[in-house]
Amino acid sequence: IRDPQQIANLNDKLIESIKTKDFSRMHMAPPEPIDWEYGDGFAYSSKKNQELDQDLDIVNFMETVKEGIEPSIQYLKNRRIFIKTPNSDVLEGRWSVLDCIVYEVDIGKEFYVFTCGQWYSVNKDFVSNVNSKVSSLVSSTLKLPPAMKGEKEGDYNKRIGTSQGYAIIDTKCARIGGSPIEPCDLFTPANQFIHVKRKTRSATLSHLFSQGSVSAECFIRDQPFRDNFVKILK
């Protein structure tokens, strides 16, 4: 969306939802891909020794807004999201809060999405098609225990693999054409390939889908890859 008046009207809708605490169609997410193995958590100020959020949370952010302050687009631009890296006490101010807000709204027959600081108009037929395809996906009966607070992906895989009797394949790569490819993170006695990522937002979900599809394609098409995987399992 480029028209300034239309952007102003949509911004008013976003701010109205924040003021009324209607977060049903709003969440927060990093506006760029994050390597979760190198991030300890998020904070909404640079204060040291504070409890970190493992994922950005709009409700938790709003609790840091001082009484009497009216949220505005400029206020959200000025507030920063901080990220802490391992082996460092420094909280790095990475993005503005506004850039981390994801929000969707229907106005008349139009559907709009705010993400990475920009407004977009989305074709409703496209939205319906996506929702229809997602709803048709077969759900897995596999139930994994939740991660513990602050638990790294590797530590989670070891804990779950050990407790559930799964083969721990995390970081054990088979090779295809000389390139290392991780077949999966965990492999069950029922021959299920499990790929694990921290439950966050779209960037991490895309990484998860990519990891799964690349592994599956290699497994189907490449005999040496399958042979290497069998060796890893044994």
Side-chain angles (χ1 to χ4, degrees):
I1 305 297
R2 301 294 183 190
D3 178 64
Q5 186 57 55
Q6 191 177 12
I7 290 173
N9 293 339
L10 290 166
N11 284 344
D12 288 343
K13 291 287 185 182
L14 189 155
I15 295 300
E16 180 184 352
S17 290
I18 290 177
K19 287 181 177 179
T20 59
K21 299 183 179 181
D22 178 9
F23 302 128
S24 59
R25 305 184 73 179
M26 183 185 303
H27 66 263
M28 295 182 74
E32 60 181 305
I34 294 294
D35 188 341
W36 295 108
E37 289 298 297
Y38 296 96
D40 278 353
F42 301 99
Y44 310 107
S45 75
S46 58
K47 185 171 59 177
K48 290 185 178 180
N49 300 321
Q50 61 178 300
E51 186 174 348
L52 302 176
D53 267 1
Q54 296 304 304
D55 192 13
L56 291 173
D57 189 291
I58 185 65
V59 175
N60 290 351
F61 164 71
M62 289 304 299
E63 290 177 354
T64 71
V65 177
K66 294 181 180 178
E67 189 175 349
I69 291 180
E70 285 284 326
S72 66
I73 293 296
Q74 191 59 49
Y75 176 79
L76 298 174
K77 282 183 179 179
N78 293 340
R79 287 290 303 268
R80 305 295 294 173
I81 296 296
F82 295 82
I83 187 169
K84 183 180 180 298
T85 54
N87 306 317
S88 173
D89 292 329
V90 178
L91 287 167
E92 175 190 343
R94 186 72 68 89
W95 317 283
S96 74
V97 168
L98 187 65
D99 284 344
C100 294
I101 288 178
V102 181
Y103 175 63
E104 59 184 46
V105 62
D106 293 280
I107 301 179
K109 296 182 179 180
E110 302 299 322
F111 178 77
Y112 299 96
V113 174
F114 182 79
T115 181
C116 299
Q118 298 285 335
W119 280 104
Y120 298 90
S121 175
V122 183
N123 185 291
K124 279 203 169 183
D125 288 339
F126 175 75
V127 176
S128 297
N129 288 338
V130 170
N131 288 338
S132 176
K133 288 183 178 180
V134 169
S135 65
S136 69
L137 295 175
V138 178
S139 297
S140 171
T141 57
L142 185 69
K143 302 297 182 184
L144 293 178
M148 296 186 291
K149 188 169 184 178
E151 189 174 30
K152 299 291 186 184
E153 180 185 319
D155 296 332
Y156 175 85
N157 290 332
K158 290 177 184 176
R159 178 170 65 86
I160 300 308
T162 301
S163 65
Q164 302 293 322
Y166 300 161
I168 303 168
I169 311 298
D170 184 25
T171 73
K172 298 178 177 65
C173 294
R175 303 190 77 84
I176 180 168
S179 299
I181 303 291
E182 194 175 77
C184 57
D185 290 308
L186 299 167
F187 188 77
T188 76
N191 299 330
Q192 294 163 302
F193 293 76
I194 302 176
H195 298 271
V196 175
K197 283 285 173 286
R198 187 197 298 257
K199 183 182 177 182
T200 52
R201 306 302 178 189
S202 59
T204 307
L205 194 62
S206 296
H207 188 181
L208 179 67
F209 287 163
S210 176
Q211 186 182 51
S213 62
V214 168
S215 165
E217 192 168 316
C218 292
F219 188 83
I220 291 169
R221 294 185 177 186
D222 194 76
Q223 181 66 48
F225 183 84
R226 293 195 292 273
D227 293 341
N228 288 336
F229 180 48
V230 170
K231 290 179 182 178
I232 291 171
L233 279 177
K234 287 182 177 178

